Amino acid sequence: MKFLLLIVNAPDAWDTMAASQQQQIIDRMNAFGAELDKAGALVTCGGLAPPTTATTVHIASEHQSVSDGPALVARTGDANITGFFIVEADTQGGAVEWAKRLPVIDDSRIEVRHIAQE
């Protein structure tokens, strides 16, 4: 089964870190990705650009609109979705174990969600 590990940080957590701290996180993320790959669990992964670079397409009935910026859900101010891993695991518990090992910024959250349609 495939699972999404969605990395959520405080809005400005990355920007307030020193460049050397940012590089440490990047290096640890790369090593984690290599570990997942070696275990045959990595499907794909990526970091996301800041929410200010987003475009949101809103679809309601027959009406559509496009706006600059993140969807309303991401505008709450207390969260910034910064990256993701998609992993293969036999159970959600197995995916949670991978999530626990993810090298993230202090006080991050990782949402583990089963990808229902494969």
Short mmCIF file of all heavy atoms in Angstrom, two decimals, residues 65-109:
data_model
loop_
_atom_site.label_atom_id
_atom_site.label_comp_id
_atom_site.label_asym_id
_atom_site.label_seq_id
_atom_site.Cartn_x
_atom_site.Cartn_y
_atom_site.Cartn_z
N SER A 65 -13.03 29.32 -10.48
CA SER A 65 -12.25 30.54 -10.34
C SER A 65 -10.82 30.16 -10.03
O SER A 65 -10.54 29.10 -9.49
CB SER A 65 -12.82 31.45 -9.25
OG SER A 65 -12.73 30.81 -7.99
N VAL A 66 -9.91 31.05 -10.39
CA VAL A 66 -8.49 30.84 -10.15
C VAL A 66 -7.99 32.05 -9.38
O VAL A 66 -8.30 33.19 -9.72
CB VAL A 66 -7.72 30.70 -11.49
CG1 VAL A 66 -6.23 30.55 -11.24
CG2 VAL A 66 -8.26 29.53 -12.29
N SER A 67 -7.22 31.78 -8.30
CA SER A 67 -6.68 32.90 -7.51
C SER A 67 -5.23 32.59 -7.13
O SER A 67 -4.82 31.43 -7.08
CB SER A 67 -7.51 33.13 -6.26
OG SER A 67 -7.51 31.98 -5.44
N ASP A 68 -4.49 33.64 -6.90
CA ASP A 68 -3.11 33.49 -6.43
C ASP A 68 -3.13 33.17 -4.95
O ASP A 68 -3.99 33.66 -4.21
CB ASP A 68 -2.32 34.78 -6.66
CG ASP A 68 -2.07 35.04 -8.14
OD1 ASP A 68 -2.08 34.08 -8.92
OD2 ASP A 68 -1.88 36.22 -8.50
N GLY A 69 -2.18 32.35 -4.52
CA GLY A 69 -2.06 32.00 -3.11
C GLY A 69 -2.65 30.64 -2.80
O GLY A 69 -3.28 30.01 -3.66
N PRO A 70 -2.43 30.18 -1.57
CA PRO A 70 -2.87 28.84 -1.19
C PRO A 70 -4.38 28.76 -0.99
O PRO A 70 -5.05 29.79 -0.85
CB PRO A 70 -2.13 28.61 0.14
CG PRO A 70 -1.95 29.99 0.69
CD PRO A 70 -1.75 30.88 -0.50
N ALA A 71 -4.89 27.54 -0.96
CA ALA A 71 -6.30 27.31 -0.67
C ALA A 71 -6.61 27.79 0.74
O ALA A 71 -5.72 27.89 1.59
CB ALA A 71 -6.63 25.83 -0.82
N LEU A 72 -7.85 28.08 0.99
CA LEU A 72 -8.26 28.61 2.30
C LEU A 72 -7.76 27.74 3.45
O LEU A 72 -7.32 28.26 4.47
CB LEU A 72 -9.79 28.74 2.35
CG LEU A 72 -10.38 29.35 3.61
CD1 LEU A 72 -9.81 30.75 3.82
CD2 LEU A 72 -11.89 29.41 3.51
N VAL A 73 -7.78 26.44 3.27
CA VAL A 73 -7.32 25.53 4.32
C VAL A 73 -5.88 25.85 4.72
O VAL A 73 -5.52 25.82 5.88
CB VAL A 73 -7.42 24.06 3.84
CG1 VAL A 73 -6.75 23.11 4.79
CG2 VAL A 73 -8.87 23.69 3.64
N ALA A 74 -5.05 26.21 3.75
CA ALA A 74 -3.64 26.51 4.03
C ALA A 74 -3.42 27.93 4.53
O ALA A 74 -2.33 28.29 4.90
CB ALA A 74 -2.80 26.26 2.79
N ARG A 75 -4.46 28.75 4.55
CA ARG A 75 -4.32 30.13 4.97
C ARG A 75 -4.56 30.33 6.46
O ARG A 75 -4.69 31.45 6.92
CB ARG A 75 -5.31 31.02 4.21
CG ARG A 75 -4.97 31.16 2.76
CD ARG A 75 -5.92 32.09 2.08
NE ARG A 75 -5.65 32.07 0.65
CZ ARG A 75 -6.41 32.66 -0.23
NH1 ARG A 75 -7.49 33.31 0.13
NH2 ARG A 75 -6.10 32.60 -1.51
N THR A 76 -4.63 29.28 7.23
CA THR A 76 -4.95 29.39 8.65
C THR A 76 -3.85 30.08 9.43
O THR A 76 -4.07 30.53 10.54
CB THR A 76 -5.22 28.01 9.27
OG1 THR A 76 -4.04 27.21 9.10
CG2 THR A 76 -6.41 27.33 8.61
N GLY A 77 -2.65 30.15 8.88
CA GLY A 77 -1.56 30.86 9.53
C GLY A 77 -0.77 30.02 10.51
O GLY A 77 0.28 30.43 10.97
N ASP A 78 -1.25 28.85 10.86
CA ASP A 78 -0.52 28.04 11.83
C ASP A 78 0.19 26.86 11.20
O ASP A 78 0.78 26.06 11.90
CB ASP A 78 -1.45 27.55 12.94
CG ASP A 78 -2.50 26.57 12.43
OD1 ASP A 78 -2.66 26.45 11.21
OD2 ASP A 78 -3.13 25.90 13.27
N ALA A 79 0.15 26.75 9.88
CA ALA A 79 0.75 25.59 9.23
C ALA A 79 1.26 25.95 7.85
O ALA A 79 0.70 26.80 7.17
CB ALA A 79 -0.27 24.47 9.12
N ASN A 80 2.33 25.27 7.46
CA ASN A 80 2.91 25.44 6.14
C ASN A 80 3.30 24.06 5.66
O ASN A 80 4.17 23.41 6.25
CB ASN A 80 4.14 26.36 6.22
CG ASN A 80 4.78 26.59 4.87
OD1 ASN A 80 4.21 26.29 3.82
ND2 ASN A 80 5.98 27.12 4.89
N ILE A 81 2.65 23.57 4.62
CA ILE A 81 2.99 22.26 4.06
C ILE A 81 4.27 22.45 3.26
O ILE A 81 4.30 23.19 2.28
CB ILE A 81 1.86 21.72 3.18
CG1 ILE A 81 0.59 21.58 4.02
CG2 ILE A 81 2.25 20.39 2.55
CD1 ILE A 81 -0.65 21.34 3.21
N THR A 82 5.35 21.80 3.71
CA THR A 82 6.67 22.07 3.11
C THR A 82 7.22 20.93 2.26
O THR A 82 8.17 21.14 1.52
CB THR A 82 7.69 22.40 4.21
OG1 THR A 82 7.76 21.31 5.13
CG2 THR A 82 7.30 23.67 4.95
N GLY A 83 6.68 19.75 2.38
CA GLY A 83 7.21 18.66 1.59
C GLY A 83 6.42 17.38 1.82
O GLY A 83 5.48 17.33 2.62
N PHE A 84 6.84 16.34 1.12
CA PHE A 84 6.13 15.06 1.22
C PHE A 84 7.04 13.91 0.83
O PHE A 84 8.03 14.08 0.12
CB PHE A 84 4.90 15.07 0.31
CG PHE A 84 5.27 15.09 -1.15
CD1 PHE A 84 5.37 13.91 -1.88
CD2 PHE A 84 5.55 16.28 -1.79
CE1 PHE A 84 5.74 13.93 -3.22
CE2 PHE A 84 5.91 16.32 -3.13
CZ PHE A 84 6.01 15.13 -3.85
N PHE A 85 6.69 12.75 1.30
CA PHE A 85 7.23 11.48 0.84
C PHE A 85 6.04 10.59 0.54
O PHE A 85 5.04 10.63 1.27
CB PHE A 85 8.09 10.80 1.92
CG PHE A 85 9.45 11.39 2.09
CD1 PHE A 85 9.65 12.52 2.86
CD2 PHE A 85 10.56 10.79 1.49
CE1 PHE A 85 10.91 13.07 3.02
CE2 PHE A 85 11.82 11.33 1.65
CZ PHE A 85 12.00 12.47 2.41
N ILE A 86 6.11 9.82 -0.50
CA ILE A 86 5.15 8.75 -0.72
C ILE A 86 5.92 7.46 -0.55
O ILE A 86 6.96 7.26 -1.20
CB ILE A 86 4.48 8.84 -2.10
CG1 ILE A 86 3.66 10.13 -2.19
CG2 ILE A 86 3.59 7.61 -2.35
CD1 ILE A 86 2.97 10.36 -3.51
N VAL A 87 5.43 6.63 0.37
CA VAL A 87 6.14 5.41 0.72
C VAL A 87 5.25 4.19 0.54
O VAL A 87 4.03 4.28 0.59
CB VAL A 87 6.66 5.45 2.18
CG1 VAL A 87 7.62 6.61 2.39
CG2 VAL A 87 5.52 5.51 3.18
N GLU A 88 5.89 3.07 0.34
CA GLU A 88 5.23 1.76 0.32
C GLU A 88 5.37 1.16 1.70
O GLU A 88 6.47 1.16 2.28
CB GLU A 88 5.90 0.82 -0.68
CG GLU A 88 5.65 1.14 -2.12
CD GLU A 88 4.36 0.54 -2.66
OE1 GLU A 88 3.66 -0.18 -1.91
OE2 GLU A 88 4.05 0.82 -3.82
N ALA A 89 4.27 0.67 2.26
CA ALA A 89 4.30 -0.01 3.55
C ALA A 89 3.16 -1.01 3.58
O ALA A 89 2.14 -0.82 2.92
CB ALA A 89 4.17 1.00 4.70
N ASP A 90 3.33 -2.08 4.36
CA ASP A 90 2.29 -3.10 4.45
C ASP A 90 1.07 -2.62 5.23
O ASP A 90 -0.05 -3.07 4.97
CB ASP A 90 2.85 -4.37 5.12
CG ASP A 90 3.87 -5.07 4.24
OD1 ASP A 90 3.80 -4.92 3.00
OD2 ASP A 90 4.75 -5.76 4.79
N THR A 91 1.30 -1.71 6.19
CA THR A 91 0.21 -1.22 7.03
C THR A 91 0.41 0.27 7.31
O THR A 91 1.51 0.80 7.11
CB THR A 91 0.20 -1.94 8.39
OG1 THR A 91 1.41 -1.61 9.09
CG2 THR A 91 0.07 -3.45 8.23
N GLN A 92 -0.62 0.91 7.82
CA GLN A 92 -0.48 2.31 8.21
C GLN A 92 0.53 2.42 9.35
O GLN A 92 1.30 3.37 9.41
CB GLN A 92 -1.82 2.91 8.64
CG GLN A 92 -1.68 4.38 8.98
CD GLN A 92 -2.88 5.21 8.61
OE1 GLN A 92 -3.78 4.74 7.95
NE2 GLN A 92 -2.87 6.45 9.03
N GLY A 93 0.56 1.43 10.23
CA GLY A 93 1.55 1.41 11.31
C GLY A 93 2.97 1.42 10.77
O GLY A 93 3.85 2.09 11.32
N GLY A 94 3.22 0.70 9.68
CA GLY A 94 4.54 0.69 9.06
C GLY A 94 4.89 2.06 8.50
O GLY A 94 6.02 2.54 8.62
N ALA A 95 3.90 2.73 7.90
CA ALA A 95 4.13 4.08 7.38
C ALA A 95 4.39 5.06 8.53
O ALA A 95 5.23 5.95 8.42
CB ALA A 95 2.92 4.52 6.56
N VAL A 96 3.67 4.88 9.64
CA VAL A 96 3.89 5.73 10.81
C VAL A 96 5.32 5.56 11.33
O VAL A 96 5.96 6.53 11.72
CB VAL A 96 2.84 5.43 11.91
CG1 VAL A 96 3.23 6.05 13.24
CG2 VAL A 96 1.46 5.91 11.47
N GLU A 97 5.82 4.35 11.32
CA GLU A 97 7.20 4.12 11.77
C GLU A 97 8.19 4.88 10.90
O GLU A 97 9.16 5.44 11.39
CB GLU A 97 7.51 2.62 11.81
CG GLU A 97 6.80 1.89 12.93
CD GLU A 97 7.05 2.50 14.30
OE1 GLU A 97 8.22 2.78 14.65
OE2 GLU A 97 6.07 2.72 15.03
N TRP A 98 7.96 4.90 9.58
CA TRP A 98 8.81 5.70 8.70
C TRP A 98 8.67 7.18 9.06
O TRP A 98 9.65 7.91 9.12
CB TRP A 98 8.47 5.47 7.22
CG TRP A 98 9.04 4.22 6.64
CD1 TRP A 98 8.34 3.15 6.16
CD2 TRP A 98 10.42 3.90 6.46
NE1 TRP A 98 9.21 2.19 5.70
CE2 TRP A 98 10.49 2.62 5.87
CE3 TRP A 98 11.62 4.56 6.75
CZ2 TRP A 98 11.69 2.00 5.55
CZ3 TRP A 98 12.82 3.94 6.44
CH2 TRP A 98 12.86 2.67 5.85
N ALA A 99 7.44 7.64 9.27
CA ALA A 99 7.20 9.05 9.60
C ALA A 99 7.93 9.45 10.88
O ALA A 99 8.46 10.56 10.97
CB ALA A 99 5.71 9.31 9.74
N LYS A 100 7.99 8.57 11.85
CA LYS A 100 8.68 8.88 13.11
C LYS A 100 10.17 9.11 12.90
O LYS A 100 10.81 9.78 13.70
CB LYS A 100 8.49 7.74 14.11
CG LYS A 100 7.11 7.64 14.69
CD LYS A 100 7.05 6.45 15.63
CE LYS A 100 5.72 6.25 16.26
NZ LYS A 100 5.71 5.06 17.15
N ARG A 101 10.71 8.57 11.83
CA ARG A 101 12.15 8.68 11.55
C ARG A 101 12.49 9.85 10.63
O ARG A 101 13.66 10.13 10.38
CB ARG A 101 12.64 7.37 10.95
CG ARG A 101 12.47 6.22 11.95
CD ARG A 101 12.75 4.88 11.35
NE ARG A 101 14.12 4.80 10.87
CZ ARG A 101 14.58 3.81 10.13
NH1 ARG A 101 13.78 2.82 9.78
NH2 ARG A 101 15.82 3.79 9.73
N LEU A 102 11.48 10.53 10.12
CA LEU A 102 11.70 11.63 9.20
C LEU A 102 12.45 12.76 9.89
O LEU A 102 12.03 13.22 10.96
CB LEU A 102 10.34 12.17 8.73
CG LEU A 102 10.08 12.16 7.24
CD1 LEU A 102 8.60 12.31 6.97
CD2 LEU A 102 10.85 13.18 6.51
N PRO A 103 13.55 13.22 9.32
CA PRO A 103 14.31 14.32 9.93
C PRO A 103 13.70 15.66 9.57
O PRO A 103 13.85 16.15 8.46
CB PRO A 103 15.70 14.15 9.30
CG PRO A 103 15.43 13.52 7.97
CD PRO A 103 14.19 12.66 8.15
N VAL A 104 12.96 16.24 10.50
CA VAL A 104 12.25 17.48 10.23
C VAL A 104 12.66 18.58 11.21
O VAL A 104 13.36 18.33 12.19
CB VAL A 104 10.71 17.27 10.30
CG1 VAL A 104 10.24 16.38 9.17
CG2 VAL A 104 10.30 16.70 11.65
N ILE A 105 12.20 19.78 10.95
CA ILE A 105 12.41 20.92 11.83
C ILE A 105 11.70 20.64 13.16
O ILE A 105 10.64 20.02 13.19
CB ILE A 105 11.84 22.20 11.18
CG1 ILE A 105 12.56 22.50 9.87
CG2 ILE A 105 11.90 23.38 12.12
CD1 ILE A 105 11.90 23.58 9.04
N ASP A 106 12.26 21.14 14.25
CA ASP A 106 11.65 20.97 15.56
C ASP A 106 10.20 21.45 15.54
O ASP A 106 9.89 22.47 14.94
CB ASP A 106 12.46 21.74 16.61
CG ASP A 106 12.01 21.44 18.02
OD1 ASP A 106 11.67 20.28 18.30
OD2 ASP A 106 11.99 22.38 18.83
N ASP A 107 9.33 20.71 16.20
CA ASP A 107 7.91 21.03 16.35
C ASP A 107 7.15 20.91 15.03
O ASP A 107 6.17 21.60 14.80
CB ASP A 107 7.72 22.42 16.97
CG ASP A 107 6.34 22.55 17.62
OD1 ASP A 107 5.78 21.52 18.03
OD2 ASP A 107 5.83 23.67 17.70
N SER A 108 7.59 20.02 14.16
CA SER A 108 6.88 19.74 12.92
C SER A 108 5.82 18.68 13.16
O SER A 108 5.84 17.98 14.18
CB SER A 108 7.85 19.21 11.86
OG SER A 108 8.76 20.20 11.48
N ARG A 109 4.93 18.56 12.22
CA ARG A 109 3.93 17.49 12.24
C ARG A 109 4.03 16.75 10.91
O ARG A 109 4.33 17.36 9.88
CB ARG A 109 2.52 18.06 12.40
CG ARG A 109 2.32 18.74 13.74
CD ARG A 109 1.00 19.45 13.78
NE ARG A 109 1.09 20.56 12.82
CZ ARG A 109 0.15 21.48 12.66
NH1 ARG A 109 -0.93 21.42 13.36
NH2 ARG A 109 0.30 22.45 11.79
#
